Amino acid sequence: MDYTPGIFVTKLSEWSNNTSWARITIAGSLALYLTMYSPLQMAADLPENYEKFDDAFQFIRDVACDWDDSKYLEAEPGDYITVARKAKGTDNWFVGGKCDENGHQTTLKLNFLDKGRKYDCTIYADEKDAHYETNPQAYTITKKVVTAKDVLKLKEAPGGGFAISLQDLMTFEL
């Protein structure tokens, strides 16, 4: 199995004579940091490609590589998977969802989060017109504050996915 997360420029012809291309969106590539476990993270693209998409590269800067807990929230082999992982020694969580060429609609319950805490949530998701073949670099970044009671509805484009960073803000009274 090839483990090369973080590919942002998927058509190799954009920087070489190779006509091959990765069948993934930027958001789907970010999701691989969670859906495929590896204690050795890498950034597989060229530095100049990350400079073009520096806001999306922030997820790679932030994502942990060692975990205290992992929860597999949904999966259908060969079609889609959603994984939540708690960063080792922290109260921060990361969630990744990845799908096949058909896309996927996810209803993500955040009930795995610690009750009584608020989280700064950053969602890296496929844009409405994203597609691994025709528009792989279309993504959106949304920020909000969430709790364990929240539910997120996320649409994964064909070949796409999503990556979420959940940074613990503080404990609060329920």
Side-chain angles (χ1 to χ4, degrees):
M1 180 180 295
D2 185 17
Y3 179 73
T4 50
I7 300 292
F8 286 5
V9 176
T10 58
K11 295 183 178 172
L12 293 134
S13 62
E14 291 185 32
W15 53 272
S16 75
N17 291 329
N18 189 332
T19 58
S20 298
W21 52 285
R23 287 154 175 79
I24 196 166
T25 65
I26 285 179
S29 192
L30 293 176
L32 293 179
Y33 286 94
L34 289 307
T35 60
M36 296 180 69
Y37 173 74
S38 175
L40 176 64
Q41 296 291 19
M42 64 180 293
D45 211 330
L46 300 171
E48 52 268 27
N49 292 337
Y50 290 132
E51 289 174 358
K52 292 181 206 173
F53 305 99
D54 190 59
D55 56 348
F57 188 69
Q58 187 61 49
F59 182 80
I60 297 172
R61 288 184 194 103
D62 293 343
V63 71
C65 64
D66 200 6
W67 313 104
D68 279 339
D69 195 3
S70 295
K71 298 190 182 297
Y72 293 82
L73 305 175
E74 65 173 351
E76 183 62 43
D79 291 336
Y80 59 85
I81 187 168
T82 302
V83 180
R85 299 190 191 271
K86 187 175 185 181
K88 189 170 191 106
T90 74
D91 290 316
N92 300 328
W93 285 84
F94 295 87
V95 183
K98 179 71 187 90
C99 68
D100 66 6
E101 71 280 1
N102 297 312
H104 180 65
Q105 179 71 41
T106 297
T107 301
L108 178 61
K109 295 177 183 177
L110 299 179
N111 57 1
F112 59 87
L113 295 173
D114 295 327
K115 291 176 181 43
R117 294 188 183 268
K118 290 183 182 180
Y119 295 82
D120 184 21
C121 176
T122 305
I123 304 166
Y124 302 81
D126 292 316
E127 189 67 68
K128 289 178 184 173
D129 62 344
H131 190 286
Y132 73 93
E133 188 171 14
T134 59
N135 200 9
Q137 296 170 339
Y139 64 93
T140 182
I141 300 173
T142 306
K143 295 181 182 239
K144 59 173 74 177
V145 174
V146 297
T147 69
K149 295 178 182 179
D150 286 303
V151 176
L152 304 175
K153 294 188 185 257
L154 301 161
K155 185 174 188 231
E156 299 169 64
F162 62 87
I164 302 173
S165 171
L166 296 154
Q167 304 295 317
D168 180 41
L169 286 173
M170 65 182 142
T171 302
F172 67 99
E173 293 294 321
L174 293 177

